[in-house]
Amino acid sequence: MSAGKNFAGIIAFMKVATHGGFNAAARELGISAPAVSRSVARLESRLNVRLLDRSTHHVSLTPEGLQFFEECLPSVDHLTRAVENMKDAGDVPAGLLRVSATVGFGRKCVAPLLPAFCQRYPRIRLEFDLDDRHTNFAGDQVDVAIRNGRIQEADIVAKKIAPMRLIVCAAPGYLEQAGAPAAIDDLKSHRIIAFRLKDSGKPHEWEFKVDGKLVKLALPGHQVFNDPELVAQAALAGNGLAQLANYQADPHIASGRLIPLLADLVADGRGHYACYRNRRQMPLRIRLFIDYLQTALGGATPA
């Protein structure tokens, strides 16, 4: 059984498994969907095992296919990155850059910066995804993940690209009716607008710094949203208190549409980070992108 013949089938299978279908795999490989299907079928025939369950509208991995995918992933990912890294060998940066960002910060702060980056480096091909779930760098095939909060993973390098503060705030109309909290214990008597985390499905705990220590509160939400922009809109509408990131809150505070509360209890230590896997040599396209974000967003001091 020829290794060369198997390799094309393995790549086709990995793309189908990653994207969940033949059409998406074909678009990335630059061939037709029937060609991808034939390549995978030949691989199954050579291995004498069924890797994919196919139906009219759905493709899924068999147990054997899942095992094969997990065993092949490190090697295929390594080869793919080796090819992309070689594109950086010349004086002009090039290659595929895959970026994932949290929905709120990614849409509002990162996405507007991308056109200028792409114009500056026209040979870098960019894929940009908005997703609040925790990034699996190998499985999701991500080069850079923009994350919020505190990064404490040993195998991940995190560069701060922007400062981050979580600010409790409310619309003037709500405070006229309900009054302003003077301490964190007063929050329990207020209507809380909460943000639901995608990974856990639970509302995000509110954070404060009290007597030099980080305090987290799990407050019952009267309104709960899975999009930070909807949380901000609910606060602007006077529906209750919200704890918003400063990139959301600051413009509305400046305009008087939101009032900051408990300002002396704002926790520190947070930030927006560009994260990537620890590796001996960072590809040029990744370094250029992170440097660009740090400069544009004012977080040039490494975390």
Side-chain angles (χ1 to χ4, degrees):
M1 187 161 52
S2 168
K5 292 180 180 178
N6 282 337
F7 187 71
I10 291 172
I11 293 298
F13 163 73
M14 295 297 287
K15 293 299 183 183
V16 173
T18 299
H19 295 291
F22 290 99
N23 290 330
R27 284 193 296 271
E28 182 162 337
L29 291 171
I31 59 178
S32 67
V36 174
S37 180
R38 289 193 297 270
S39 188
V40 173
R42 285 194 294 269
L43 176 65
E44 291 175 319
S45 178
R46 294 189 185 106
L47 297 176
N48 195 29
V49 66
R50 192 170 187 83
L51 301 174
L52 298 173
D53 281 327
R54 304 160 174 83
S55 65
T56 304
H57 301 292
H58 185 67
V59 176
S60 62
L61 292 170
T62 65
E64 294 79 10
L66 178 60
Q67 178 183 347
F68 190 65
F69 176 83
E70 292 176 344
E71 291 179 351
C72 289
L73 183 59
S75 296
V76 171
D77 187 52
H78 178 76
L79 289 171
T80 300
R81 290 179 181 276
V83 172
E84 294 295 340
N85 290 346
M86 288 302 99
K87 295 179 180 179
D88 286 337
D91 295 332
V92 180
L96 176 61
L97 177 65
R98 294 165 292 201
V99 180
S100 174
T102 52
V103 174
F105 185 75
R107 178 185 292 124
K108 193 174 185 68
C109 298
V110 179
L113 301 175
L114 299 181
F117 177 81
C118 293
Q119 290 175 4
R120 184 179 299 181
Y121 305 109
R123 290 182 58 185
I124 294 179
R125 294 181 292 118
L126 178 68
E127 292 184 3
F128 184 67
D129 293 322
L130 294 177
D131 198 333
D132 282 325
R133 66 187 175 88
H134 193 79
T135 304
N136 179 338
F137 281 87
D140 296 338
Q141 296 185 326
V142 170
D143 295 307
V144 180
I146 311 299
R147 295 184 183 174
N148 307 325
R150 297 175 175 84
I151 310 301
Q152 299 175 333
E153 298 171 62
D155 60 337
I156 298 299
V157 179
K159 298 290 186 180
K160 183 181 285 187
I161 58 174
M164 181 181 184
R165 293 173 295 114
L166 294 178
I167 304 170
V168 177
C169 49
Y174 173 82
L175 296 176
E176 289 175 5
Q177 297 178 356
I184 59 175
D185 288 340
D186 297 338
L187 297 174
K188 299 175 183 178
S189 62
H190 281 267
R191 297 179 65 85
I192 300 299
I193 307 166
F195 171 65
R196 188 188 304 280
L197 298 170
K198 187 166 185 177
D199 284 324
S200 67
K202 298 179 181 179
H204 190 278
E205 293 179 324
W206 286 21
E207 297 185 3
F208 301 92
K209 188 175 183 179
V210 181
D211 296 329
K213 296 181 180 179
L214 179 66
V215 175
K216 294 186 177 183
L217 294 181
L219 298 169
H222 291 79
Q223 294 183 8
V224 182
F225 301 95
N226 69 345
D227 186 314
E229 184 58 30
L230 296 180
V231 175
Q233 290 179 15
L236 289 166
N239 293 342
L241 305 181
Q243 190 173 60
L244 302 176
N246 57 290
Y247 78 86
Q248 293 179 282
D250 286 349
H252 300 305
I253 292 173
S255 69
R257 299 182 66 196
L258 290 177
I259 306 298
L261 306 165
L262 306 176
D264 57 333
L265 300 180
V266 173
D268 52 20
R270 276 187 164 268
H272 300 281
Y273 295 89
C275 305
Y276 57 94
R277 286 188 297 182
N278 196 1
R279 61 179 70 185
R280 191 179 309 172
Q281 183 177 6
M282 183 195 300
L284 177 59
R285 63 188 180 279
I286 294 179
R287 178 173 60 80
L288 290 173
F289 183 69
I290 293 174
D291 289 347
Y292 173 77
L293 291 183
Q294 286 184 317
T295 300
L297 295 171
T301 302

